[in-house]
Amino acid sequence: MNDVWDKIFNFTDYGQLLALLHNSILAGAVLGLVGGLIGVFVMMRDLTFAVHGISELSFAGASFALLVGMNVVVGSIKGSLLAAVVIGVLGVKARERSSIIGVLMPFGLGLGVLFLALYPGRSANKFGLLTGQIVAVDDPQLLWLGGISLLVLTALAVVWRPLMFASVDPDIAAARGVAVRGLSPVFMLMLGLTVAMAIQVVGALLVLSLLVTPAAAAMRVTASALWVPVLSVTFAMISTVGGILLALGGSIPISPYITTISFLIWVICRVTGSVRTRRGWSRRPAAEPASRVAAGAH
């Protein structure tokens, strides 16, 4: 039992290890910021399944890059963007989107497994693409992640109000002149880039814990157009940075720590929301934030 515990939590020489992994901590904080914001729209637009579909093709792209000796981040981005474009262009209706994602997921996962099986290098590199690696973020990767984050955050700042309006009530948004159909592929591209970032830290199989769970937790305790993204970012950053700090003392992949923290936050928020509902608290209807967004979008 002690051996198992040591594999999960072992804080021997923790200070020296912490100094060596500042890149991973910075990457986790950045990912928490971007993932928390993107996750709000993922929940509002009901794209949780799309996140998983994009992650599978992103995994295939990263695996292929690993096999041929390319930059893994670039390969991951190419796979994510390909999936985002296909889903955004072909999956206009929810039913069509679900079927397309259902086709892409096994195809991407199968390609990724094939490329990893052909890869002759270290098994840790193979395993890390699926479950994350705490030591995976070197200086070039951190620069890539920082550049992608800046691009996504800039795009979000530009389209935030119309995207929020279109996500809450697309029919009214379209009637008000918002380019609802044009915003959909734009958001899918931002989502694809964010998924590619997340895979570098948490792995392809558990991306949902960063792009869905924090936002879902935030929406259990508030419906405020301000506080949902604030809490989502806070929860995502706590999950990533906290998971990295805990994983530093163990010998298992980073993703179980991140997913456990994220899940516990969601449980606490769900219980809190249920208690407040029983005591007479109710979240504002979706029409109220929509009307405020509509007023500010023109």
Side-chain angles (χ1 to χ4, degrees):
M1 188 65 182
N2 288 335
D3 291 339
V4 174
W5 186 259
D6 286 340
K7 288 183 178 180
I8 300 175
F9 300 108
N10 187 341
F11 298 103
T12 306
D13 300 324
Y14 190 82
Q16 291 86 338
L17 293 173
L18 187 62
L20 296 175
L21 296 179
H22 59 277
N23 278 0
S24 294
I25 296 172
L26 286 174
V30 170
L31 180 58
L33 172 62
V34 180
L37 293 175
I38 288 290
V40 173
F41 294 103
V42 169
M43 292 296 298
M44 295 178 70
R45 300 173 75 88
D46 193 23
L47 290 173
T48 54
F49 195 38
V51 172
H52 202 24
I54 293 173
S55 71
E56 302 294 5
L57 272 187
S58 182
F59 161 65
S63 301
F64 178 75
L66 187 66
L67 174 63
V68 300
M70 292 171 50
N71 188 309
V72 174
V73 179
V74 175
S76 179
I77 292 172
K78 289 180 178 180
S80 289
L81 293 182
L82 175 61
V85 169
V86 172
I87 295 171
V89 173
L90 300 180
V92 177
K93 297 180 180 179
R95 181 176 297 178
E96 293 175 347
R97 186 170 60 237
S98 295
S99 62
I100 290 170
I101 295 169
V103 171
L104 288 178
M105 282 176 56
F107 174 68
L109 186 59
L111 280 181
V113 171
L114 171 63
F115 297 146
L116 289 188
L118 296 174
Y119 175 66
R122 297 172 59 242
S123 59
N125 292 335
K126 303 178 184 181
F127 197 52
L129 288 178
L130 289 170
T131 60
Q133 293 185 86
I134 190 172
V135 295
V137 184
D138 54 18
D139 288 338
Q141 281 182 309
L142 186 62
L143 289 176
W144 271 101
L145 294 179
I148 296 170
S149 300
L150 183 60
L151 178 62
V152 173
L153 291 174
T154 301
L156 270 179
V158 172
V159 303
W160 183 275
R161 283 183 178 275
L163 183 61
M164 179 69 74
F165 192 12
S167 300
V168 172
D169 198 329
D171 293 332
I172 296 180
R176 295 268 186 150
V178 176
V180 175
R181 292 181 66 89
L183 284 172
S184 180
V186 170
F187 176 72
M188 290 303 299
L189 290 176
M190 290 190 290
L191 178 60
L193 290 173
T194 306
V195 169
M197 290 172 50
I199 284 179
Q200 307 308 311
V201 177
V202 75
L205 297 181
L206 300 169
V207 169
L208 292 174
S209 64
L210 289 183
L211 299 187
V212 173
T213 310
M219 289 179 176
R220 296 303 307 178
V221 294
T222 182
S224 166
L226 171 64
W227 285 107
V228 166
V230 169
L231 288 178
S232 179
V233 168
T234 302
F235 296 156
M237 293 186 73
I238 290 173
S239 299
T240 52
V241 176
I244 289 170
L245 293 177
L246 287 177
L248 182 59
S251 59
I252 60 177
I254 186 176
S255 49
Y257 300 94
I258 294 178
T259 54
T260 299
I261 295 174
S262 185
F263 176 73
L264 289 176
I265 290 173
W266 178 82
V267 169
I268 293 170
C269 288
R270 185 170 181 86
V271 171
T272 301
S274 298
V275 170
R276 294 177 69 181
T277 300
R278 286 199 298 269
R279 292 180 179 178
W281 173 85
S282 62
R283 293 177 293 173
R284 288 193 297 271
E288 182 179 342
S291 62
R292 290 208 308 270
V293 173
H298 298 280

